[in-house]
Amino acid sequence: SFARLLGYYLSEGCVSRNGNTYKVIFTFGSHESEYVEDVLQAIERLGLRGCVEYRASTIAVATTSWLLGHALKSVWNCGANAYTKALPSFVFHWSKPLQREVLKGLLRGDGSISTACNGNHAKITFATVSKRLSEQV
């Protein structure tokens, strides 16, 4: 669940200072309630509390944590916004099943699949504004 949470963060998350702590926010489309629940469960497994905010066309999941925010932003260098996102180097040393979980979170957030292609093949796409993350994926 942590590996998937990391993937969700890289595709749908941001981190910002909130006083003397950090606020980590994941934003999903209003139709992505399954992913919202997955993120909430992963946050709770870390011993944190998640807060859900329903907006006009999105659902935001937030948690406040100095440790998680600091690790994502300053220790693991995952980036604080869409332009600076990057996979932390340790992911490349993880087992294949854990790496798949990171990709699962990434693709659920910024990926799409289309079966309206020629032939029997599906087309999987991934989009990000982070050049580094794009190259890493």
Side-chain angles (χ1 to χ4, degrees):
S1 66
F2 175 75
R4 252 189 343 278
L5 184 68
L6 184 58
Y8 284 126
Y9 174 77
L10 293 170
S11 62
E12 301 293 344
C14 66
V15 64
S16 60
R17 289 291 261 168
N18 186 22
N20 56 354
T21 189
Y22 286 98
K23 190 170 193 175
V24 182
I25 304 169
F26 303 82
T27 306
F28 297 94
S30 57
H31 63 285
E32 298 177 312
S33 58
E34 177 184 344
Y35 306 153
V36 168
E37 287 303 317
D38 198 21
V39 167
L40 281 171
Q41 288 176 5
I43 287 170
E44 289 173 7
R45 284 188 180 127
L46 291 175
L48 302 172
R49 255 187 323 160
C51 175
V52 179
E53 180 183 335
Y54 295 91
R55 302 172 180 165
S57 60
T58 61
I59 304 171
V61 178
T63 189
T64 302
S65 169
W66 180 88
L67 183 59
L68 180 61
H70 178 71
L72 287 167
K73 187 175 179 178
S74 303
V75 178
W76 301 330
N77 299 311
C78 294
N81 60 49
Y83 296 94
T84 59
K85 293 292 178 67
L87 284 162
S89 59
F90 59 79
V91 169
F92 297 100
H93 302 287
W94 277 357
S95 67
K96 295 294 181 201
L98 284 177
Q99 290 176 344
R100 277 190 214 100
E101 291 300 314
V102 173
L103 286 173
K104 191 184 293 182
L106 272 167
L107 292 173
R108 284 178 176 179
D110 285 338
S112 65
I113 186 166
S114 172
T115 56
C117 302
N118 294 333
N120 297 335
H121 303 288
K123 180 180 179 183
I124 298 173
T125 57
F126 172 73
T128 180
V129 295
S130 168
K131 183 178 181 194
R132 183 164 181 218
L133 181 61
S134 176
E135 291 169 352
Q136 290 175 318
V137 171

